[in-house]
Amino acid sequence: MTKDMTVGSPFKTIIYFSIPMLIGGIFQQFYGVADTIIIGKFVGSRALASIGATTSTMFFFLSFAIGFTNAFSIVMGQFFGAKNESMIKITFINSIFVTLFSSLLLLIFGMFFSRPLMLLLKTPPDIIDNSVLYLKICIGLSFGQLFYNGAASILRALGDSKTPLYFLILTTIINIILDLLFVALLKMNVLGAAIATVISQIMSAFLSILYIINKFPILKLNREDIVFNSSNLFMIIKIGVSMSIQAIFLSIGEMIISGVVNTFGTNVVASYTTGNRINQFASMAYFVVSEAFAVYTAQNFGACKFDRIKDGFKSIIILSLSLSIISAIIIFIFGDNLVRLFISSNDEYIDIIANICKGYLRISSLFYPFLAIILLYNNSVRAIGNALIPLISGITELAIKVGGSIFLSIPFGYVGVWFANPVGWAIGIIPTCIYFHKYAFKNKKL
């Protein structure tokens, strides 16, 4: 039920591990896209914009907790590679406590800070109430998402990328059914979409945790296993804080960019929302490959097989670049058709939104290879336990994004904003690229 990634062909090992994650990524995107399409089709572009306006704020709230849940896979993957069963159990225990604490914090933040943040971002008056409602429900009750992410990270660290997929497929189908029930049939609009999302997330968390408890002997806990281990907790916190801070910085950058986008009106907000959804789909394949390589790197780092990491990297970076180029070609050919999937053909603003969004997607897609590379480098460096260098990369990326969105929007309008994100990807690569190739494996021991 576990997969040892320290043996066998590096390329084949990573590819086989990636396939279930890629399928899962597709369904996870459906998870969010279902809200967008159903809201856009059955309610309209104003409601679509109200959900889209929450994207950066949602990421801001969730970034802290998700950074820690992603750290679980790195720490546990290293101990699994080192064949240290006792530390695997201790990491599992600490991961539960960290997730519970994070869920409580998000409940408080979601209830009390949703409206102030949306006001700060100058959300258009005609959509702000629905935006705040969506945030309060999805953030305040985000414990389901956090526990699922934590459980999936742990399973993947042990080499099991299939089980999270099965639960995700099931709960995605449930989410779409509930969306149609609450939004299309019962006319609950944004409230219905939020409730459907939360219920689906709670179900995926419950099933994942139940499976781990019953099916993984390596994670079965006895009373004597439940002990406090400060060094392990510190290891999780060190990596988790770095990932969280980087995610928070990036989310602040996204919030600033959203604030700039909001000044151009609801049609541009709807275009930005739709474009971001499509960008997430387009980048999914090489994003998943980078995550799979991170698990591979963590296990092999724990086993001190550094040459094996380097060999795997050479083939995976070629794969990632190839996937990013294919994604860019698809965007250029089918971009307009993809945009129109998200909005009702009867919407009076559809042609305006489609034209704006198509330009945004074409600019972003030109830089997809840089996004593929920065994802691969950052995930690889984190997987060997270095928290600082990816943080520096994230700060660099943030500075470029924020500065670009503000200053380029003055002479070029919203088109200037479209260049901010991709230029940030390109320049943010530099710190992790230098570290990985020059310093990552010198005198390293777990």
Side-chain angles (χ1 to χ4, degrees), residues 62-79:
L62 291 173
S63 57
F64 176 80
I66 289 177
F68 282 100
T69 59
N70 289 338
F72 302 157
S73 65
I74 295 173
V75 177
M76 187 168 286
Q78 289 184 3
F79 287 122

Side-chain angles (χ1 to χ4, degrees), residues 58 61-62 65-66 69 99 102-108 110-111 135-149 197-198 201-202 205:
M58 188 95 69
F61 278 126
L62 291 173
I66 289 177
T69 59
T99 306
S102 300
S103 300
L104 179 59
L105 284 181
L106 286 180
L107 174 61
I108 296 170
M111 292 297 106
L135 269 180
K136 284 186 174 181
I137 295 172
C138 290
I139 296 299
L141 300 177
S142 61
F143 63 91
Q145 181 176 353
L146 296 188
F147 271 97
Y148 170 76
N149 286 345
T197 298
V198 166
Q201 290 170 347
I202 292 172

Side-chain angles (χ1 to χ4, degrees), residues 82-372:
K83 308 295 189 294
N84 191 332
E85 186 171 330
S86 63
M87 291 306 297
I88 291 174
K89 289 185 176 181
I90 289 171
T91 303
F92 181 51
I93 294 167
N94 280 331
S95 69
I96 295 172
F97 292 139
V98 170
T99 306
L100 283 171
F101 180 71
S102 300
S103 300
L104 179 59
L105 284 181
L106 286 180
L107 174 61
I108 296 170
F109 288 148
M111 292 297 106
F112 295 102
F113 293 99
S114 293
R115 183 169 291 273
L117 279 173
M118 297 310 293
L119 288 170
L120 183 65
L121 293 176
K122 300 179 181 178
T123 307
D126 58 334
I127 63 174
I128 189 170
D129 287 339
N130 276 335
S131 294
V132 171
L133 177 64
Y134 190 81
L135 269 180
K136 284 186 174 181
I137 295 172
C138 290
I139 296 299
L141 300 177
S142 61
F143 63 91
Q145 181 176 353
L146 296 188
F147 271 97
Y148 170 76
N149 286 345
S153 293
I154 289 169
L155 288 169
R156 288 170 186 148
L158 301 177
D160 181 2
S161 60
K162 294 180 181 179
T163 303
L165 166 64
Y166 301 147
F167 296 139
L168 193 55
I169 291 174
L170 175 62
T171 52
T172 299
I173 293 171
I174 293 173
N175 182 48
I176 294 172
I177 292 172
L178 291 177
D179 268 331
L180 291 170
L181 173 64
F182 294 149
V183 177
L185 186 62
L186 299 180
K187 308 297 182 184
M188 295 173 67
N189 299 339
V190 172
L191 173 63
I195 293 174
T197 298
V198 166
I199 291 175
S200 301
Q201 290 170 347
I202 292 172
M203 291 186 67
S204 65
F206 174 77
L207 291 173
S208 299
I209 294 170
L210 189 65
Y211 180 83
I212 286 175
I213 292 172
N214 286 292
K215 298 295 183 180
F216 274 79
I218 198 171
L219 295 178
K220 282 192 176 295
L221 302 176
N222 300 312
R223 182 172 297 179
E224 59 270 19
D225 294 322
I226 305 176
V227 295
F228 178 74
N229 187 296
S230 58
S231 62
N232 177 263
L233 183 60
F234 177 76
M235 193 175 180
I236 294 173
I237 291 174
K238 182 182 73 171
I239 297 172
V241 165
S242 170
M243 297 178 74
S244 297
I245 291 175
Q246 181 178 353
I248 288 170
F249 281 160
L250 291 176
S251 69
I252 291 172
E254 289 296 326
M255 291 170 70
I256 294 173
I257 294 171
S258 293
V260 176
V261 169
N262 289 345
T263 64
F264 292 102
T266 304
N267 286 330
V268 177
V269 175
S271 302
Y272 187 60
T273 301
T274 306
N276 282 337
R277 289 293 192 191
I278 295 172
N279 273 335
Q280 288 171 4
F281 263 112
S283 62
M284 188 191 320
Y286 44 93
F287 177 81
V288 166
V289 167
S290 72
E291 285 197 318
F293 186 72
V295 176
Y296 169 90
T297 300
Q299 286 196 15
N300 282 280
F301 185 79
C304 297
K305 295 186 177 182
F306 305 142
D307 288 337
R308 184 173 167 80
I309 296 174
K310 297 174 187 177
D311 291 340
F313 183 86
K314 292 175 185 177
S315 55
I316 293 304
I317 194 169
I318 294 173
L319 174 64
S320 294
L321 287 172
S322 301
L323 291 170
S324 67
I325 292 170
I326 293 170
S327 297
I329 293 171
I330 291 173
I331 289 295
F332 264 83
I333 297 175
F334 300 107
D336 186 73
N337 304 86
L338 293 172
V339 173
R340 293 176 185 273
L341 288 176
F342 287 80
I343 305 170
S344 170
S345 57
N346 297 322
D347 194 297
E348 60 180 304
Y349 303 101
I350 185 170
D351 290 326
I352 298 172
I353 293 172
N355 187 57
I356 295 171
C357 188
K358 184 169 64 175
Y360 171 46
L361 287 172
R362 287 189 170 183
I363 291 170
S364 296
S365 64
L366 290 174
F367 290 81
Y368 282 169
F370 294 102
L371 177 59

